[in-house]
Amino acid sequence: MASTIAPGVEHDKPKPGEPVLRCDSCAVRNRAVCGALSRTEIAQLNAIAHTKTFAPGQIVYGEDEDVHFFANIVAGAVKLTKALSDGREQIVGLQFASDFLGRPFRARSPFHAEAVTTSQLCMFDKAKFERLVREHQGLEHRLFQHALDELDAAEEWMLLLGRKSAGEKVASFLLMVAKRMHVIGCHGPSEGPQRFDLPLTRAAIADYLGLTIETVSRQFTRLKAEKIIGLEGARTVILISADRLRAAAERSD
Amino acid sequence: MASTIAPGVEHDKPKPGEPVLRCDSCAVRNRAVCGALSRTEIAQLNAIAHTKTFAPGQIVYGEDEDVHFFANIVAGAVKLTKALSDGREQIVGLQFASDFLGRPFRARSPFHAEAVTTSQLCMFDKAKFERLVREHQGLEHRLFQHALDELDAAEEWMLLLGRKSAGEKVASFLLMVAKRMHVIGCHGPSEGPQRFDLPLTRAAIADYLGLTIETVSRQFTRLKAEKIIGLEGARTVILISADRLRAAAERSD
DNA sequence: CGTTGACTTGAACGATATCAAACAGGGTGG
DNA sequence: CCACCCTGTTTGATATCGTTCAAGTCAACG
């Protein structure tokens, strides 16, 4: 899941006399796709953008619904799900701050998108954003690379869904969340105990891992009993040993 | 899995006096990413391309290996797999004629790619192709849209892997293959009996569906007993009722 | 005709689902 | 402040589906 988004162009501060843009103080200015744009281009994007806050459970896109905007996630977490007609549900993507939401040049959303924590989205009108994409190859390039990152993540998850045991799935999930919340690095050895909050309920974790709530809960208590993690309430995880968690994510015994 | 690749530009025949290109007679000229290019651009691509035939089982890329070329699949089928350290394997993508193979601007292949049937690939040197991509926005756009198609397919497969039963998985697999081999349309009602050959062995089907060989085999015999499909040998499927197969792919009882 | 590899079939087992109940924490109204 | 409820979570008992292990079939091929 290595991010290969290239460092953007130089991000000029506003020159004396130039207007100050909201983007200048944006928390994800450099990590998000906007990083591909020059100051004048950012000004154009700024003109079509507006931010909106979504409460947990609030729907961003309905499945198969016409889409009229794209968005950068500024803060929070959004789950992307697909459902079978009888209600079975699978989370097919989990997006965090700086991720781009939406499928450029597609009319309909192939998934249901819903905020899982209070989330701030920086939204762009679809048609206007697509015009900007056509005019700036750098932006399309950045979106393309982001799509390839998502594809890598999806393939990694297919391996998990198809071939890992419940215990490995839950351990892998904890590692993924710790990484994406910048609690641990991608490859470094184990550090001291770290604490972080899970953005998802047990039900959502189950939908992400292709398991039931009960199985997820049992695996949490097992990891706790093995002293690989600690729990403070249901949502706060204390990472006791990142190394042993990595081992649990791919047991080869 | 709807393909949203836009129809390409007009494909000029060679004008009198112009050289004839191999691409002029290419079987996938219009469906593949090359469709984005004008005749002069095609000539440039033609100059860096060469075709190669891969036998079943022959490796195209090794997992995590440095990649030096991209390819269009002209004929055949290629499986993309990921493996766990203890040997468990998952197919994360199955590519057919006109599909593009490789991840532009990435150094390493995140998966193992292997021909499953005799396959003909039209290969491009990585660096030269990437230069072409930088120079022609239409080509990058087409690659981007192709990546989004792959992402849609991956998400659909995540739903299958995480939430479908063995019977539904096998039925979904048969539908997917029938569609991609143009045996049935994407949405039309049931047609008369159709016959097609599976490109994969039972072992590969199992790796695609996150099942074991034995379970796949049992589901085939069940579908046969229910007279939804017929079998001639292990690899030839007779589709008796596409509608009932669609129902079996998502049973809501 | 014997060997080999791909596939099918059967019996037993086990991981995960299902069903059911108890528990914990946070908010609300009395 | 407490009783109550609501939702999310944990725990336990049992059922089920898919795996595992083990034969057995079949067709291709030397």
Side-chain angles (χ1 to χ4, degrees), chain A residues 61-194:
Chain A
Y61 299 135
E63 190 168 348
D64 288 323
E65 180 181 290
D66 280 1
V67 166
H68 298 107
F69 60 89
F70 303 118
N72 271 142
I73 300 178
V74 177
V78 174
K79 68 172 182 180
L80 315 180
T81 67
K82 278 172 110 55
L84 259 10
S85 53
D86 63 355
R88 282 174 288 176
E89 195 168 306
Q90 175 68 44
I91 295 185
V92 298
L94 194 57
Q95 315 233 275
F96 295 98
S98 87
D99 282 337
F100 181 84
L101 193 53
R103 297 282 161 88
F105 308 106
R106 305 270 161 124
R108 304 168 154 275
S109 174
F111 43 66
H112 168 103
E114 181 181 317
V116 291
T117 62
T118 302
S119 301
Q120 204 188 349
L121 303 195
C122 178
M123 299 163 70
F124 319 108
D125 174 77
K126 182 175 192 293
K128 288 174 184 159
F129 184 78
E130 287 177 353
R131 178 142 37 83
L132 215 55
V133 172
R134 268 185 233 103
E135 288 163 8
H136 302 289
Q137 186 169 7
L139 185 53
E140 177 151 53
H141 183 76
R142 192 105 170 189
L143 288 167
F144 180 27
Q145 295 304 311
H146 180 77
L148 290 184
D149 282 340
E150 281 190 85
L151 200 46
D152 285 345
E155 287 168 352
E156 196 68 43
W157 219 250
M158 285 170 71
L159 177 61
L160 174 146
L161 289 171
R163 291 304 185 200
K164 288 192 179 180
S165 68
E168 292 172 316
K169 284 177 173 181
V170 171
S172 302
F173 168 77
L174 288 172
L175 278 176
M176 188 276 298
V177 172
K179 268 180 208 161
R180 303 272 325 241
M181 301 192 106
H182 309 287
V183 173
I184 59 172
C186 284
H187 298 294
S190 135
E191 307 87 19
Q194 298 278 343

Side-chain angles (χ1 to χ4, degrees), chain B residues 165-166 210-212 214-215 218:
Chain B
S165 68
L211 297 170
T212 58
E214 295 93 326
T215 300
R218 282 186 245 273

Side-chain angles (χ1 to χ4, degrees), chain A residues 166 212 214-215 218:
Chain A
T212 58
E214 295 92 327
T215 300
R218 282 186 244 272

